[in-house]
Amino acid sequence: MDDLLFHDIDEPGLNTIEVYERRGGYETLKKALRELDGDRVLAELQASGVRGRGGAGFAMGTKAGFLPKGTMDKYLCCNADESEPGTFKDRELMQKNPHQLIEGIVLASFAAGINKAFIYIRGEYDAQASILEAAVREAYEHGHLGENIHGSSFGVSLVVHRGAGAYICGEETALLDSLEGKRGNPRLKPPFPANAGLFQGPTLINNVETLSNVSHIIKHGGEWYARIGTEKSTGTKLVSVSGCVQRPGNYEIELGVPAREIIFGLAGGPLPGREIKAWFPGGSSSPVLTPAELDLAYDFDTIAGAGSMLGSGAIIVIDDSVSIVDVCLRTAMFYKHESCGKCTPCREGTNWTTKMLQRVSDGLATPMDLDIIASVQKQIMGNCLCVLGDAMAMPVSSMVNKFRGEFEAHIEQARAKHTPLSEAVRAPLDLTKQGAIA
Amino acid sequence: MSSNLQYRSPYTVVDALPPGYSRRPAGEPERATITFTIDGQEIQAPEGIMVVDAAKYGGVEIPVFCYEPKLGAPVGACRMCLVEIEGIPKLQTACSTPVRDGMVVVTKSERVVEAQNGVVEFILLNHPLDCPVCDKGGECPLQDISYGWGGGESRMVEPKRHFEKPVALSDAIAIDRERCILCYRCVRFSQEVSEDYQLVLLDRGAGAHVGTFDGTQYIAPFSGNIVELCPVGALTSRAYRFRARPWDVEQGGSVCTLCPAQCNVSYTVRDEQVMRTLSRENAGVDDGWLCDKGRFAYEAWESDARITTPLVRQGDKLMPARWEVALTAAANILKKSGPRTAALAGGATTNEEGWLLRRLMLDGLGSPHFDSRRGGEFDFDVARTLANPALAATMPDVEWADALLVLDCEPVDDMPVLDLRIRKGVRRNGVKLAIASARPSSLDAGATRVARIAPGGAEAFTQALLAALGDGGDVETLCENAGADAAEVRAIADLLAGAKRPVIVWSERLAVTGRGAAPLRAICNLADRLGIAAKDGAGLLEVPLSANARGLREIGLLPTAAPGLMHCDNPGLDATGIAAACGEEISALVLMNTDPLSDYDDPTAWSAALAKAGAVISFSTWMDAATARHADVVFPAEVGPEKDGTVTHPDGRIQRLRQTVERAGEVNAGWWVLNELGRRVGVDLGVKVANQATAQIANHVGIYAGVTTAELGGDGVRWQERDAAANLPRPARTTFDLTPPPAAPSSDGYLRLGVFRSLWSGGEVVNAATLATLAAAPRRVELSPVDGERLGLTSGDAVTVKTGDGEMSAVVALRDAVPAGFAFVSADLRLDEGDEAAVATLGRALASTEERSAEVTK
Amino acid sequence: MSAAPQNELRHEDSVPQLADVSVPAELKAWIEERMAMYPEPKSATIPCLMHAQKLHGWLSPDAVRQVAAVMRVTPAYLVSVASFYDMFELKPRGRHTIYMCTNISCMLRGADAVMAELEAQVGVDNGGTSDDGIYLRNFECLGACDIAPMASVDGTYIGPLTVADAKALVEDLRAERDVLPEKHLTRRPAAATYWAAGKRIEQGGER
Ligand SMILES: Cc1cc2nc3c(=O)[nH]c(=O)nc-3n(C[C@H](O)[C@H](O)[C@H](O)COP(=O)(O)O)c2cc1C
Ligand code: SF4
Ligand code: FES
């Protein structure tokens, strides 16, 4: 077996139903509806061991199994928000092989008794959303979606829903609120989406890549799938490699290959004359790793064991030409910008951290500020409503801790330059429209 | 550290069953008692309540900002309440974690303290420390929590967040966004309690701030509640800003008597002046909310418009007079008129005043002609049936009903805080709501069923409902008479029939339709048909037309019934009869807190009656039309915080008013004036302190027997739940033969006229600076877009509304929900100069089922 | 002219009435159709706002009122939602929109220099709109770090951009031409090329 999700990914017209069906697409769906029941499909998913590809790495079959049985409306939300910096794999899947995703959605719905499915795609992915919409239309026309699919008693509807620019909507409960037409604020858990999710109904939320695996798992069987990768990280993984490498791009790898093979072998390694200084193994939310950790096996548990996480499978490579202070500040700025503002530690913590890092960058800080930065990250971690706060605190503290020397050196040098207090820090927010009281 | 900090949050509910519930509403699920451990001590608490509330059973206080159970489900946003729970690796928010048997909670470990210090530090990062000039200073949860749970130092050197400040959110409220700690209480109130959805959060992250659409004012009937909800000084009352500090004021609890909702209030008093009105939460009454009218009325009481001295007419002028002069003048009138004197009392009248007025009339003057109702036939059997405790719904029953019918009333205008209770029931407890009203109701959006009926069609609707429930009669014909859709009526019948706890909220307006007691008989039959008496949690709730209508009726301020709805041997004239008899059988009129020209439905008749009345004595707060034009002697009436006495809530709760400020100017207590008048006409009413009048009621009103102000306490007591309820006489019958209702009047090719009264009316609204712009809104006529197009009218057009014999000016508002063929006119019956024709028309339209067609032209 | 200012003083009028707001027929039909696609019509909020924004160029108060009248929600609700998301514009913007990604992956490949050049070429600072209607702002990761540094120009992903490209990009826009056609993401050969370029990974165990 070569590659799963990316098999012939560049075949012209693969995004159309003609080509997809010609290549055997939707046969698995038809067969499953004809020969299997939902429980059996679910059992295959469970046997495959496939873990979520969206960030948390939770076993998909297990999660699907949490949905209550019964005839109430149940929902599937395909998480196509893909906003984690450095991540662009779902984009490729949706643009080039949308039917693989749709088939996976229908099969997963069948497995969990779901009758209404949505793809929540980030609004910026305009081209991809249009392709998906066209593919959904085709799938309806060909009877792969709708009621009584292929003569079975099973039916599911599918709507492509575009977001409008908010990273937090990738967080599954924020996604639900956003899909319900609200501000994308995360919800308190419990209740978990499996019990009370979209419109308070049982809801299964999975990433595009996770769902794109489903038809392959059902086609070949869960056991077959489980043999790919490592024992606890089965299957292949799309890895988005970006940053200071020669060939940034999406690569499908078998889980468990050494990270070095991905970064050097596939992505061509750093630019000539450059050395790797640090790398994010799983998007900008993951604590950075050092070159010493390049030989780690790229799978969920090994990376977690190294104090980081596989996350969305986005490797961002930082080379020695880049100041870690810049990376750290940029990272914090992102999370500050994307914090929904609902809970205190995240809203205030990301904002404050950004201000402090700005001062560090501007040369207006002392090493004591680094201690405060580190302690503020601790104040954030684990204390927020969702993990967006942690998503900043983890990489920021990893950078401050692992590269403390560089931070201190920067503070020294920058202070010497007497950089004025940056406008970004000083500029007041003037967001009001309402007139002052006379 | 925190235990000796006398921190009393005004924002939290301590008990799972708050005081004020005399009993658990039948619909509310019972909770088992569990045992859990908090900070080492074993505590019992009701299962499933949030840890933060359960902790209070053990005297442990967990700090909160965003948690406010009145607002619905917890949001877990501020993270102030983090605690350790054994077996869960992450700290948990105590506000959103239900307590379970055997749970082990730790609130004082190093981890928890660190997290608490952290959250306080975060919250204070951008909060200006301008406490010395902040209105909240001294009563600020943020101050208290910073002191009790904060680390005591700030490590932030960067500038704080800046906003333009303070800005006006509305005439009533100022917002200082720099002080806002983003707890979302205010926006949750707007969105999840009052559901007006006008106050929202804008932007996100650190830039998130509270605001409205495009800078428009936040205009909503309950907007003032957000000031009380705000845990910091971000939202302040513009009327109260900078006028007092918490340490130089006192709080005095009483009850608002501006409408039947009778919300419990706490007046903030400084130097004998009310500085503001706060809610005094009573779960059995108001759930801790106030409408803006009640909240800002105090401004009107301080205004120059108020009458604060006795007045006596000299020529065509009312001139200030000394008490002795006024009392003598009034006594002379009464003595001269004797048994030919009549009296009317309005809703702000307390039970005691009503009682003494009754005695003055009967014992002093020998006149049985007094009334507290607006007219209409009084039928003993109907009145006693409707008063039957087994048929009475409590306010909490409204919230826990499984099916709720709102019949011909608009709670937000008629009894505002009831509107919130209904919304709460629908939103939180899944109450299935059915609306039957002519004018589209603000509750329609949350309703399961909406039946539009013709104006005046409520009786026919009730009969149609009965027919659909199998009580005989032809559903189709009755629906046609009601102007209602038969399918909808059937659906509502099914909804009610299938309910375990059906509750029907109906308006006293049904009693004054010109059809006598007939509509009420239909309601009695409906209650019987639905088996309400036997169903726990089911019931009827009447929305009276005035604040203390129920109390005055029950203490016997009725021409036809003795106190406690007892038989009376010697009936007098009712209000309608009095109007007709003025100048003949009646030669003097006492008006207590009422202006018949605006309160009663036939101003033309009353105008004539007052002119002929001979002499008029008025107890009044404002120079209303009747007082100004017809009164010979005017006694300045007390207002809310000046009063002592009791009133009776529509659900039967007897509540106590307490005087909290000195009476303004030369105002004297109503009971004192009546006692003095008694003395002068030769009867000793025997009241030297207010309490004595209450004692007389306790001795003479069977169903109130033995009641004392001490027993009423702060929360009041429903008389139905006292033993004396057994003194209610049994009706001879509880179901009635119904006469067929008249067909909905034809509109003769014109629009059918419907009339509604807005919450924004009355002296308290007109004279309170904060509310004045609302009162000044022009009369409006609401039309359907279809008719708008047909008549070439758009919203904002000035038009003339012509009816049979009158016409009035109005401004068009096209509303999508108004059915074609109708015109709804706001009837705030203020008798302004030159507006008499309009008022007469509207009055008649309100009063009768006839003359309901109108022509609208530019 | 509608009677809005006067009527807005009344709480009854918090939801704009269709009778008072003239909604373009196409927009009304679109919104109604979209609302019907969800179990709860409010779900259509974001797509409907986006449609109105496309129609009006920005979410003007009038545009918001129109959506509110059809959806039967308050305008406040809609602006609350709109202001949460980066792609909604509550102030007038240009005919053309450039989102320049300045997040880490693009930064690592020179996005800041490209952004500076774009600012110079368009003639505005970050967040500004030029007189001829080009709206330029930096943006968080757009999900195309394989073509970093990149930008989304009127929704089309373009990259990798050089500083020289910034000039061409703005020129193309000003000339209302297809912008840097050879650098469109959708026209790029895809990942498989890279796959071929990389070496196959052999790992223990039979396949
Ligand atoms: C702040 C935040 C952002 C996230 N963004 C995404 C995302 O863009 N796409 C995604 O699939 N999952 C994202 N997730 C993870 C989801 O919450 C969720 O775990 C995932 O969609 C589940 O699908 P999976 O089990 O298939 O991975 C995000 C999580 C957080 C906390
Ligand atoms: S204004 Fe007050 S109530 Fe509203 S969010 Fe801010 S702090 Fe909370
Ligand atoms: S009080 Fe618990 S999170 Fe705010």
Side-chain angles (χ1 to χ4, degrees):
Chain A
M1 106 70 234
D2 285 330
D3 33 352
L4 283 170
L5 305 183
F6 268 6
H7 185 64
D8 284 346
I9 189 74
D10 265 320
E11 169 143 352
L14 181 58
N15 62 320
T16 64
I17 201 157
E18 281 73 32
V19 178
Y20 184 72
E21 283 187 345
R22 174 148 38 83
R23 294 166 34 93
Y26 289 115
E27 286 307 322
T28 309
L29 172 63
K30 288 186 197 157
K31 191 153 175 260
L33 288 175
R34 210 169 43 235
E35 296 171 9
L36 309 176
D37 60 10
D39 285 345
R40 180 65 201 285
V41 175
L42 181 63
E44 292 300 333
L45 290 174
Q46 286 166 344
S48 76
V50 65
R51 292 170 68 165
R53 305 307 199 217
F58 195 84
M60 184 212 173
T62 311
K63 189 152 81 178
F66 287 153
L67 267 72
K69 308 280 171 213
T71 53
M72 69 286 253
D73 275 343
K74 286 184 243 175
Y75 303 94
L76 181 145
C77 295
C78 169
N79 190 340
D81 192 56
E82 195 163 62
S83 304
E84 173 78 10
T87 316
F88 44 91
K89 63 193 176 71
D90 297 342
R91 187 203 76 208
E92 201 103 78
L93 287 172
M94 293 186 286
Q95 180 182 321
K96 301 212 163 127
N97 199 350
H99 287 289
Q100 174 178 262
L101 172 60
I102 295 169
E103 188 172 4
I105 288 174
V106 180
L107 280 165
S109 301
F110 182 50
I114 285 160
N115 58 338
K116 291 192 169 67
F118 297 89
I119 300 175
Y120 184 99
I121 182 169
R122 64 180 297 186
E124 295 89 340
Y125 280 175
D126 185 38
Q128 291 72 19
S130 300
I131 291 169
L132 270 177
E133 280 158 0
V136 168
R137 227 173 295 127
E138 288 177 328
Y140 268 108
E141 283 160 14
H142 286 237
H144 305 311
L145 285 169
E147 277 161 34
N148 302 104
I149 298 174
H150 300 306
S152 72
S153 60
F154 171 73
V156 63
S157 63
L158 178 59
V159 172
V160 177
H161 183 99
R162 298 178 189 221
Y167 165 69
I168 188 61
C169 293
E171 195 283 332
E172 54 186 15
T173 59
L175 180 149
L176 297 178
D177 264 31
S178 182
L179 189 43
E180 288 178 6
K182 305 172 188 158
R183 294 161 64 84
N185 289 324
R187 300 178 181 174
L188 268 181
K189 290 191 257 188
F192 290 93
N195 296 317
L198 194 61
F199 312 121
Q200 294 305 312
T203 306
L204 177 65
I205 304 163
N206 275 118
N207 170 259
V208 170
E209 184 188 346
T210 317
L211 288 163
S212 294
N213 271 303
V214 170
S215 64
H216 302 283
I217 294 170
I218 303 307
K219 180 174 177 189
H220 299 289
E223 240 177 75
W224 170 87
Y225 187 90
R227 285 203 302 270
I228 310 169
T230 71
E231 194 193 335
K232 292 202 172 140
S233 298
T234 59
T236 64
K237 175 87 191 78
L238 301 187
V239 184
S240 304
V241 189
S242 67
C244 308
V245 291
Q246 302 206 23
R247 288 191 298 272
N250 282 317
Y251 302 95
E252 182 167 14
I253 58 110
E254 184 168 3
L255 279 163
V257 304
R260 185 183 295 280
E261 298 285 359
I262 304 169
I263 296 172
F264 285 83
L266 296 172
L271 301 175
R274 290 290 165 204
E275 301 252 314
I276 294 180
K277 177 192 274 186
W279 55 292
F280 292 95
S284 68
S285 307
S286 58
V288 294
L289 296 176
T290 59
E293 289 153 312
L294 278 168
D295 291 312
L296 291 176
Y298 196 70
D299 63 59
F300 288 101
D301 301 314
T302 309
I303 300 293
S308 188
M309 58 189 208
L310 194 85
S312 57
I315 296 179
I316 307 170
V317 177
I318 300 153
D319 73 18
D320 56 356
S321 70
V322 181
S323 160
I324 202 77
V325 177
D326 285 351
V327 176
C328 194
L329 173 59
R330 200 62 62 110
T331 306
M333 277 168 75
F334 169 73
Y335 292 99
K336 176 208 157 171
H337 181 251
E338 298 298 344
S339 169
C340 80
K342 184 170 177 178
C343 79
T344 310
C346 173
R347 177 185 68 241
E348 302 299 336
T350 54
N351 190 26
W352 189 17
T353 301
T354 306
K355 286 178 175 177
M356 287 190 284
L357 285 168
Q358 186 75 54
R359 271 196 300 118
V360 170
S361 170
D362 291 349
L364 292 163
T366 67
M368 211 176 76
D369 287 305
L370 296 176
D371 297 334
I372 297 177
I373 292 173
S375 96
V376 167
Q377 307 317 304
K378 272 207 211 125
Q379 255 163 249
I380 297 171
M381 265 187 270
N383 290 343
C384 302
L385 183 63
C386 82
V387 294
L388 188 137
D390 297 40
M392 176 199 72
M394 293 187 295
V396 165
S397 44
S398 76
M399 283 182 259
V400 172
N401 289 336
K402 293 184 183 175
F403 296 90
R404 173 120 189 168
E406 188 178 336
F407 274 93
E408 287 181 0
H410 176 94
I411 288 173
E412 277 300 302
Q413 283 165 15
R415 189 165 32 204
K417 283 195 243 154
H418 296 297
T419 320
L421 188 59
S422 120
E423 288 299 316
V425 176
R426 201 169 31 191
L429 274 166
D430 180 15
L431 297 156
T432 61
K433 278 191 195 160
Q434 322 210 350
I437 294 174
Chain B
M1 166 184 57
S2 56
S3 48
N4 58 359
L5 181 81
Q6 288 294 306
Y7 172 67
R8 266 260 304 124
S9 164
Y11 301 106
T12 45
V13 178
V14 178
D15 303 316
L17 283 185
Y21 281 119
S22 340
R23 63 182 171 93
R24 180 172 53 83
E28 189 180 329
E30 204 166 351
R31 291 179 189 274
T33 299
I34 53 94
T35 305
F36 77 111
T37 307
I38 185 157
D39 295 335
Q41 50 171 331
E42 271 201 359
I43 302 297
Q44 301 214 316
E47 180 172 26
I49 66 170
M50 297 306 161
V51 167
V52 66
D53 291 327
K56 291 172 186 160
Y57 285 77
V60 174
E61 169 125 29
I62 300 171
V64 299
F65 287 116
C66 67
Y67 182 56
E68 170 49 81
K70 273 159 50 177
L71 296 172
V75 290
C78 74
R79 317 304 286 179
M80 191 60 238
C81 64
L82 289 170
V83 295
E84 241 176 286
I85 293 176
E86 211 175 81
I88 310 180
K90 275 192 178 186
L91 298 182
Q92 297 292 304
T93 44
C95 70
S96 67
T97 308
V99 69
R100 301 261 172 265
D101 196 44
M103 201 176 236
V104 178
V105 182
V106 179
T107 76
K108 298 194 165 63
S109 66
E110 201 179 319
R111 244 181 105 200
V112 174
V113 169
E114 237 171 59
Q116 287 170 338
N117 289 348
V119 173
V120 170
E121 180 178 34
F122 281 142
I123 285 179
L124 290 177
L125 286 182
N126 281 305
H127 185 86
L129 298 179
D130 59 351
C131 309
V133 295
C134 175
D135 266 297
K136 200 79 176 182
E139 53 180 16
C140 174
L142 178 56
Q143 280 180 333
D144 296 344
I145 291 176
S146 300
Y147 179 69
W149 289 271
E153 61 162 4
S154 172
R155 297 176 292 171
M156 190 175 88
V157 299
E158 290 82 3
K160 295 188 185 235
R161 203 155 49 132
H162 286 300
F163 287 101
E164 190 189 333
K165 69 179 230 175
V167 293
L169 205 52
S170 68
D171 285 354
I173 301 161
I175 183 168
D176 179 333
R177 296 197 171 92
E178 293 184 346
R179 291 185 189 148
C180 171
I181 61 165
L182 292 167
C183 70
Y184 313 107
R185 287 174 173 221
C186 54
V187 294
R188 284 168 66 208
F189 174 81
S190 163
Q191 293 162 20
E192 290 170 37
V193 178
S194 76
E195 296 182 332
D196 60 73
Y197 249 109
Q198 294 190 64
L199 192 70
V200 294
L201 215 66
L202 298 170
D203 291 349
R204 70 172 189 229
H209 60 283
V210 172
T212 58
F213 168 65
D214 204 27
T216 49
Q217 289 201 43
Y218 178 38
I219 304 274
F222 304 98
S223 70
N225 289 295
I226 63 172
V227 172
E228 268 190 76
L229 284 168
C230 184
V232 295
L235 295 170
T236 46
S237 155
R238 294 181 66 187
Y240 179 69
R241 276 167 72 81
F242 306 129
R243 290 190 64 206
R245 293 302 247 166
W247 47 86
D248 59 25
V249 298
E250 288 165 21
Q251 292 296 129
S254 192
V255 173
C256 174
T257 54
L258 293 180
C259 89
Q262 295 184 6
C263 296
N264 292 193
V265 293
S266 176
Y267 296 110
T268 298
V269 177
R270 192 180 79 175
D271 294 343
E272 299 301 338
Q273 228 193 352
V274 176
M275 294 276 125
R276 67 178 170 184
T277 308
L278 298 175
S279 152
R280 179 168 64 84
E281 179 163 349
N282 185 338
V285 176
D286 49 51
D287 238 1
W289 308 122
L290 292 181
C291 77
D292 284 3
K293 182 161 149 179
R295 185 177 299 274
F296 295 106
Y298 75 91
E299 288 183 298
W301 296 331
E302 288 171 17
S303 76
D304 294 343
R306 211 184 135 188
I307 303 173
T308 53
T309 63
L311 305 169
V312 172
R313 187 168 297 276
Q314 291 177 0
D316 58 356
K317 279 217 175 75
L318 281 168
M319 302 299 285
R322 287 186 298 112
W323 271 102
E324 192 49 45
V325 174
L327 285 168
T328 306
N332 287 341
I333 291 171
L334 295 178
K335 274 192 286 199
K336 186 165 157 223
S337 180
R340 295 172 68 217
T341 310
L344 300 175
T349 309
T350 61
N351 292 338
E352 287 70 15
E353 288 166 334
W355 173 258
L356 296 175
L357 178 61
R358 179 178 190 278
R359 284 196 60 206
L360 177 71
M361 296 301 290
L362 272 180
D363 305 347
L365 306 173
S367 164
H369 311 304
F370 44 82
D371 206 351
S372 57
R373 296 166 76 244
R374 300 278 168 95
E377 180 191 353
F378 184 84
D379 178 319
F380 269 104
D381 286 333
V382 167
R384 290 170 181 175
T385 302
L386 291 173
N388 175 4
L391 289 185
T394 64
M395 282 296 277
D397 284 340
V398 168
E399 170 191 340
W400 292 101
D402 47 4
L404 179 68
L405 171 64
V406 175
L407 179 54
D408 207 20
C409 78
E410 173 64 316
V412 74
D413 289 327
D414 299 341
M415 183 170 162
V417 101
L418 173 63
D419 172 87
L420 297 184
R421 184 76 75 146
I422 294 173
R423 289 176 193 275
K424 180 183 178 194
V426 171
R427 173 176 280 269
R428 294 213 223 164
N429 304 335
V431 173
K432 296 242 182 332
L433 175 64
I435 304 280
S437 70
R439 179 175 177 245
S441 164
S442 64
L443 289 168
D444 283 354
T448 308
R449 290 280 159 197
V450 176
R452 283 286 94 87
I453 58 178
E459 182 191 354
F461 172 84
T462 312
Q463 290 202 21
L465 209 50
L466 280 163
L469 287 164
D471 228 24
D474 177 41
V475 181
E476 312 297 324
T477 316
L478 287 164
C479 283
E480 211 176 301
N481 288 352
D485 175 44
E488 205 60 48
V489 171
R490 286 207 167 87
I492 293 177
D494 287 346
L495 191 65
L496 293 172
K500 285 205 199 76
R501 295 178 303 279
V503 170
I504 297 167
V505 172
W506 58 281
S507 167
E508 191 193 357
R509 205 164 284 133
L510 266 77
V512 291
T513 59
R515 293 263 307 149
L520 308 194
R521 292 192 184 103
I523 291 189
C524 292
N525 285 11
L526 185 58
D528 179 70
R529 185 79 208 173
L530 293 172
I532 283 179
K535 291 179 178 170
D536 212 7
L540 306 177
L541 182 69
E542 174 188 351
V543 175
L545 288 171
S546 68
N548 190 30
R550 177 163 198 155
L552 295 176
R553 205 187 299 162
E554 290 177 344
I555 57 96
L557 197 68
L558 292 175
T560 41
L565 300 181
M566 300 299 283
H567 180 72
C568 133
D569 290 328
N570 169 22
L573 295 167
D574 69 5
T576 318
I578 292 169
C582 276
E584 287 157 35
E585 218 180 317
I586 299 297
S587 57
L589 200 53
V590 178
L591 302 176
M592 183 161 240
N593 301 316
T594 185
D595 169 11
L597 295 176
S598 65
D599 292 348
Y600 288 70
D601 287 335
D602 196 345
T604 317
W606 275 106
S607 203
L610 286 164
K612 288 190 285 179
V616 175
I617 300 167
S618 173
F619 293 70
S620 187
T621 314
W622 315 109
M623 200 44 83
D624 55 64
T627 305
R629 292 179 192 178
H630 302 289
D632 297 289
V633 180
V634 181
F635 294 120
E638 297 161 286
V639 296
E642 297 166 357
K643 283 190 212 181
D644 259 322
T646 62
V647 288
T648 309
H649 186 272
D651 82 354
R653 183 179 298 271
I654 310 171
Q655 307 205 83
R656 181 177 176 195
L657 309 176
R658 290 160 191 255
Q659 187 184 356
T660 54
V661 294
E662 279 297 322
R663 297 178 191 88
E666 293 174 39
V667 177
N668 263 317
W671 58 261
W672 180 85
V673 182
L674 290 163
N675 193 61
E676 286 299 307
L677 287 174
R679 209 159 57 80
R680 284 170 171 75
V681 302
V683 56
D684 179 8
L685 296 182
V687 186
K688 296 201 173 55
V689 291
N691 255 346
Q692 287 173 308
T694 314
Q696 290 177 18
I697 290 174
N699 284 333
H700 292 96
V701 181
I703 54 178
Y704 291 7
V707 74
T708 62
T709 47
E711 181 192 351
L712 298 182
D715 288 329
V717 176
R718 291 183 66 239
W719 66 256
Q720 296 95 329
E721 290 163 22
R722 303 172 72 248
D723 293 341
N727 295 334
L728 180 73
R730 275 171 196 275
R733 49 192 8 246
T734 55
T735 56
F736 304 87
D737 294 334
L738 303 181
T739 51
S746 151
S747 56
D748 296 332
Y750 296 111
L751 297 169
R752 279 191 192 168
L753 180 65
V755 174
F756 64 98
R757 290 197 191 198
S758 159
L759 149 77
W760 306 122
S761 59
E764 275 76 9
V765 178
V766 178
N767 295 307
T770 297
L771 306 173
T773 48
L774 299 169
R779 174 181 301 124
R780 75 180 204 164
V781 52
E782 297 177 347
L783 300 174
S784 81
V786 177
D787 289 318
E789 188 160 0
R790 186 170 57 80
L791 300 168
L793 299 172
T794 56
S795 291
D797 285 352
V799 290
T800 304
V801 180
K802 285 198 195 102
T803 62
D805 59 350
E807 62 175 57
M808 71 198 105
S809 60
V811 171
V812 171
L814 298 183
R815 293 186 75 198
D816 299 339
V818 170
F822 290 88
F824 293 100
V825 178
S826 61
D828 163 14
L829 299 189
R830 251 182 303 137
L831 198 59
D832 296 335
E833 294 293 322
D835 216 12
E836 281 159 61
V839 170
T841 308
L842 293 172
R844 273 198 304 280
L846 273 175
S848 69
T849 44
E850 290 142 43
E851 278 192 72
R852 286 211 178 252
S853 58
E855 195 184 350
V856 179
T857 48
K858 258 203 210 187
Chain C
M1 260 296 289
S2 80
Q6 178 190 56
N7 278 346
E8 266 166 17
L9 279 180
R10 301 192 64 117
H11 58 85
E12 289 103 325
D13 297 323
S14 55
V15 173
Q17 303 291 304
L18 270 176
D20 295 339
V21 182
S22 69
V23 188
E26 188 273 340
L27 179 63
K28 182 160 181 281
W30 199 94
I31 293 173
E32 280 164 354
E33 191 185 323
R34 193 77 208 181
M35 287 197 295
M37 289 166 72
Y38 300 90
E40 286 179 24
K42 255 191 180 178
S43 271
T45 302
I46 291 173
C48 293
L49 284 171
M50 195 54 89
H51 202 76
Q53 173 162 307
K54 284 212 181 97
L55 197 70
H56 291 262
W58 62 295
L59 282 179
S60 62
D62 271 342
V64 172
R65 271 196 206 96
Q66 290 172 5
V67 179
V70 184
M71 290 194 72
R72 301 221 48 72
V73 296
T74 62
Y77 170 72
L78 294 179
V79 292
S80 173
V81 171
S83 65
F84 187 89
Y85 298 92
D86 283 334
M87 294 173 73
F88 289 121
E89 302 298 349
L90 291 159
K91 294 200 178 104
R93 303 294 188 202
R95 282 166 301 134
H96 294 299
T97 300
I98 306 175
Y99 293 159
M100 176 70 210
C101 177
T102 51
N103 207 299
I104 303 170
S105 296
C106 283
M107 174 193 98
L108 291 170
R109 297 180 84 88
D112 292 356
V114 178
M115 180 67 186
E117 182 65 13
L118 281 173
E119 286 176 335
Q121 291 298 331
V122 178
V124 296
D125 286 343
N126 177 26
T129 302
S130 65
D131 292 341
D132 59 350
I134 300 176
Y135 167 51
L136 170 69
R137 62 170 290 187
N138 65 16
F139 217 82
E140 299 303 357
C141 180
L142 285 156
C145 324
D146 44 349
I147 55 166
M150 59 78 62
S152 169
V153 180
D154 292 333
T156 304
Y157 280 24
I158 302 174
L161 297 171
T162 60
V163 170
D165 285 338
K167 183 154 187 251
L169 187 159
V170 175
E171 274 168 10
D172 284 346
L173 260 190
R174 291 214 155 105
E176 306 289 337
R177 279 195 298 265
D178 198 5
V179 174
L180 297 179
E182 71 289 358
K183 294 213 170 183
H184 286 198
L185 171 75
T186 47
R187 292 184 202 168
R188 266 168 59 90
T193 324
Y194 289 125
W195 176 257
K199 77 180 157 78
R200 286 300 318 276
I201 315 274
E202 300 298 342
Q203 217 210 342
E206 40 94 28
R207 278 290 93 82

